[in-house]
Structures are given as structure tokens and as C-alpha cells.
């Protein structure tokens, strides 16, 4: 694999069957795990899917492993690629991104149920095993997926020159809580905002801030919602509603039921719906437009081959083959994942060619989220411990859907 340095870290540990996170109070254990030297800005990785528990890799602080990005938390330092200033990008028309100012954390009303990781204030760990649902669970996944899609669609309408990514976060946050849901990224391993906004060379996990979107930018908006659907018996009629659990009863939130409290035996398990898309800011050049177009095609082609019994490595081959035809790079350190009752679970979904094992099963839910680049596929992490950019400043684009494996193939849950 292509690397920005001679370091070739290889994962040597497995988390099979372990639903806990991997703490590390120093860099020593991660050095042994990834075989890298602290302070080096360029890290690459080869890995095997012979271990399924690798999925505790996203949205964690530096001292823990995490999921959506396999080296997301491995002590990157922000450095300049050799021979290039931090002010320059591979495209001389654009300046490199710089961190903006963060606004205070936005509050979530107390009646909205939180995912467990928010209440525990601990970095979430891996949930080993796939997310496979019964009929009720599938309906819950459809509800959370639809809301995520609606929020993303709304966020996309806000994209224009002059708006800040923080303003997009504010709007997304408000729409999610107005619908009785929780913005899943908020508080996940310390992430400070309710949505990820990744502009231009940002591969993923961009933190919304005071930066103003400029004409010619591209931006990925990544939305995940945590929605609790409660089955409530009222006058012998079952209704799916959002509700607040109060001791042994459920108080209806809003509508004409808000003055009453009903006793019920209900399931308050929440479900995550996860999706993202790339958008154009004003007039965008043909190079950026084509990158976004091909990235979306990669996602669509990958989804089209999904069905019960299909090997997961077919996803990576499909994406990589199509990207190669257009001479784009495929980022390898960031992966799709199982999603449902937990934010991130098995399987690890690789977007590049691989020999991994594992097959899709009926009623399973997971994400596919390819990230393509015009130039280097090597990631550099900023000092905020979240924002990941291409080492040469070249553009990156991403699309994502949560899908359900059905008898007929795959159902996209995150579309309006």
C-alpha cells in the first residue's frame, strides 16, 4: 500500500468477542499494536479481516482505539508534506484549510434519550457481532434512517458561499432535537459538535467552526441520529411515538397527549441512522465536480452488489475498480461499519481491494462510505485530534448510506 513514510504498521491484535474498548494510558501499547514512532505525521496500515472485532475504531479520543477511521486516534501530528508549505494545496487556486473558532457545545433537552456513551462519559467500545434485526428492529432502523436522510437533505440546502460550518451544525442540531432524536456525534469520545463538516481536502471528521464556505469549495456533511421509538399501548391501540421514560411510565412528548402519563411495558432501545453526502459551494470547477460524481457512483455500485451471502470484500473491489478507471485514490484508513442499536459495530467494511472474509446476512445493517481523492490517499490529523486531511492538500470527497440486506438485495435506509 502507498505510504507517506517507510513505516508499514500492521495490526497484530484482535478484539474478537470483546465488547470493551482498548485503553492506553501511554503510547507504548499503541506502538506495539501499530508499529509506528510517535511524532511521525504519516501513517499507513495493512490489516486482515481475520479478526472481526476491529470495529472499535471511530470517534474516540487519543487514548483509545476507535472505528470509522482505523488510525483515527493514533497520535498523528500535523506536519507539512515534504517540500510543501502548510499554506499551499496541490491546487494553487485554493489555500489549505485552517482551524476556525469553536462555539460552545449546544444543549440537548433532558427529555431526549441519550445513547449510553453520552451518559457514561466514557469512550465507546466495540460491539462485536453484526447488527441483525427482527421486524420491529427493521422498522426502527427505517425510522432513524429516514430522519437522518431528511436532516442531511435540509443541511444540503444551507450550503452556499458565506455560511459557516458552525451555522450548518446549529441548524442540523436543532432539526434533530426538534424531532425528538439525539445527534449521535455529540459527545462520542469527546467530539464537540452534532455533525461532521469536511471541506475540500478534509477526508472526514471535520469539526464545524467559524470558517466561512467559499465559492468553489466542496463539503461533505455527515449526519447521524439516535432515535428512540417506543411502542405504547393507549386505549388498546399500539402507536410508535417518541417518548420520555419517567420511572415505570411514559410521558408523551408534544401533541395532544402531553398532559397525560401512561403506564406501559415498552422497549426504549434507540437506533442510529448514519449518512453523508458531498455538496458544491457556488461555482465549482470540473475537476471537483467529477471527483464528487465518481465518488457517488462508487457508493451506488457498491450497494448494487450487496445481498445475502455476498462477501464483504466485493464492496472494496467494486469501489476500487471504479476509482481506478478515473485515476482517483481510495483512502484506506477509514472504513464503513455495522450500525443500529450501537453507533459502530462489526463488520469492518473496507473500501479498497482486500482478501477479507465474511459474508452479508439477511436483515443486517451497515454503512458503506467510500472516500476518494484526486491526489494523495495518505491522511494527516490536525491537533484537534479529529480533523483528517490529505497530506498534499488535494481534494477528497465522500458519500455514505446505511443499508439493510434484504432477500432482494439491499434497501437504502438513509434516503428520503
Amino acid at each position: 500500500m502507498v505510504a507517506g513514510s517507510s513505516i508499514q504498521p500492521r495490526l497484530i491484535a484482535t478484539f474478537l468477542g470483546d465488547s470493551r474498548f482498548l485503553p492506553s494510558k501511554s503510547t507504548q501499547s499503541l506502538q506495539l499494536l501499530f508499529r509506528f514512532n510517535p511524532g511521525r505525521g504519516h501513517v499507513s496500515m495493512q490489516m486482515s479481516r481475520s479478526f472481526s472485532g476491529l470495529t472499535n475504531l471511530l470517534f474516540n479520543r487519543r487514548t483509545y482505539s476507535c472505528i470509522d477511521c482505523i488510525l483515527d486516534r493514533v497520535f498523528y501530528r500535523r506536519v507539512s508534506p515534504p517540500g510543501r508549505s502548510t499554506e499551499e494545496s496541490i491546487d494553487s487556486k485554493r489555500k489549505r484549510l485552517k482551524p476556525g473558532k469553536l462555539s460552545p457545545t449546544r444543549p440537548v433537552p433532558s427529555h431526549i434519550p441519550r445513547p449510553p456513551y453520552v451518559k457514561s462519559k466514557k469512550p465507546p467500545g466495540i460491539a462485536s457481532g453484526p447488527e441483525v434485526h427482527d421486524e420491529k428492529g427493521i422498522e426502527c432502523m427505517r425510522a432513524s434512517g429516514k430522519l437522518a436522510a431528511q436532516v442531511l437533505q435540509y443541511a444540503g440546502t444551507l450550503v452556499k458561499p458565506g455560511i459557516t460550518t458552525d451555522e450548518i451544525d446549529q441548524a442540523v442540531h436543532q432539526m434533530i432535537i426538534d424531532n425528538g432524536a439525539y445527534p449521535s456525534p455529540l459527545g462520542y469520545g469527546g467530539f464537540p459538535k452534532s455533525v461532521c463538516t469536511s471541506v475540500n481536502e478534509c477526508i472526514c471528521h471535520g469539526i464545524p467552526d467559524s470558517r466561512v464556505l467559499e465559492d468553489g469549495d466542496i463539503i461533505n456533511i455527515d449526519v447521524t441520529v439516535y432515535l428512540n421509538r417506543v411502542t405504547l399501548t393507549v386505549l388498546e391501540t399500539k402507536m410508535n411515538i417518541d417518548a420520555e421514560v419517567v420511572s415505570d411510565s411514559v410521558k408523551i412528548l408534544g401533541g395532544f397527549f402531553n398532559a397525560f402519563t401512561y403506564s406501559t411495558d415498552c422497549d426504549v432501545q434507540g437506533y442510529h441512522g448514519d449518512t453523508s453526502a458531498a455538496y458544491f459551494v457556488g461555482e465549482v470547477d470540473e475537476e471537483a465536480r467529477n471527483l464528487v460524481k465518481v465518488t457517488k457512483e462508487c457508493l451506488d455500485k457498491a450497494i448494487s452488489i450487496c445481498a445475502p451471502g455476498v462477501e464483504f470484500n466485493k464492496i472494496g473491489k467494486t469501489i476500487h475498480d471504479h476509482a481506478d478507471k478515473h485515476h482517483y485514490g481510495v483512502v484506506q484508513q477509514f472504513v464503513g461499519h455495522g450500525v443500529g442499536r450501537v453507533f459502530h459495530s462489526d463488520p469492518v467494511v473496507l473500501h479498497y481491494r482486500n482478501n477479507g472474509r465474511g459474508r452479508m446476512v439477511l436483515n443486517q445493517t451497515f454503512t458503506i462510505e467510500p472516500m476518494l481523492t484526486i491526489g494523495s490517499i495518505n491522511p494527516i490529523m490536525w491537533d484537534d485530534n479529529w480533523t483528517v486531511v490529505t497530506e498534499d492538500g488535494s481534494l477528497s470527497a465522500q458519500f455514505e448510506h446505511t443499508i439493510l440486506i434484504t432477500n432482494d438485495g439491499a434497501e437504502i435506509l438513509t434516503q428520503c
Side-chain angles (χ1 to χ4, degrees), residues 146-160 163 167-179 195 221 223 275 277 279 416:
K146 182 177 181 180
L147 177 59
Q150 291 171 336
V151 173
L152 180 61
Q153 183 181 62
Y154 171 61
T157 67
L158 304 176
V159 173
K160 61 181 179 180
I163 193 171
E167 289 174 314
I168 294 174
D169 180 79
Q170 180 179 23
V172 166
H173 179 91
Q174 192 63 48
M175 183 173 179
I176 292 173
I177 64 174
D178 283 349
N179 281 275
V195 66
I221 301 176
V223 171
T275 186
Y279 297 94
C416 296

Side-chain angles (χ1 to χ4, degrees), residues 195-312:
V195 66
C196 295
T197 51
S198 301
V199 180
N200 293 339
E201 71 263 31
C202 185
I203 296 171
C204 60
H205 301 167
I207 300 176
D209 60 20
S210 61
R211 184 190 184 277
V212 174
L213 294 183
E214 300 177 359
D215 189 68
D217 286 344
I218 61 173
I219 179 174
N220 172 272
I221 301 176
D222 193 336
V223 171
T224 312
V225 304
Y226 180 76
L227 184 63
N228 283 69
R229 305 302 295 180
V230 179
T231 300
L232 176 65
T233 302
V234 180
L235 300 177
E236 299 182 347
T237 301
K238 289 187 176 181
M239 306 168 59
N240 287 327
I241 59 172
D242 293 322
E244 174 188 3
V245 178
V246 183
S247 299
D248 295 325
S249 58
V250 173
K251 181 179 180 181
I252 309 303
L253 303 177
F256 49 87
F257 290 110
N258 61 3
F260 303 95
T261 299
Y262 300 91
S263 295
T264 183
D265 181 14
C266 63
D267 174 13
V268 294
Q269 174 69 61
Y271 292 77
H272 298 271
D274 191 1
T275 186
S276 81
Y279 297 94
F280 302 129
V281 183
E283 294 297 322
V284 176
D285 63 34
E286 188 62 28
E287 183 179 50
R289 286 183 176 276
N290 195 60
L291 173 67
V292 169
K293 174 178 175 289
V294 173
T295 306
K296 179 60 164 60
E297 290 171 352
C298 283
L299 175 61
D300 292 342
K301 287 177 179 293
I303 292 173
S304 71
I305 60 96
C306 293
V310 174
E311 293 179 326
F312 280 102

Side-chain angles (χ1 to χ4, degrees), residues 72 86 140 171 214 223 250 256 266 295 332 344 357 369 393 400:
D72 198 349
T86 56
C140 290
E214 300 177 359
V223 171
V250 173
F256 49 87
C266 63
T295 306
Q332 299 185 6
H344 303 100
R357 299 177 180 178
E369 42 191 300
E400 174 186 10

Side-chain angles (χ1 to χ4, degrees), residues 84-99:
R84 190 178 296 277
S85 164
T86 56
E87 296 295 321
E88 299 174 342
S89 72
I90 197 172
D91 180 352
S92 60
K93 294 180 292 185
R94 291 187 297 105
K95 288 186 177 181
R96 286 201 171 195
L97 294 174
K98 291 184 178 180

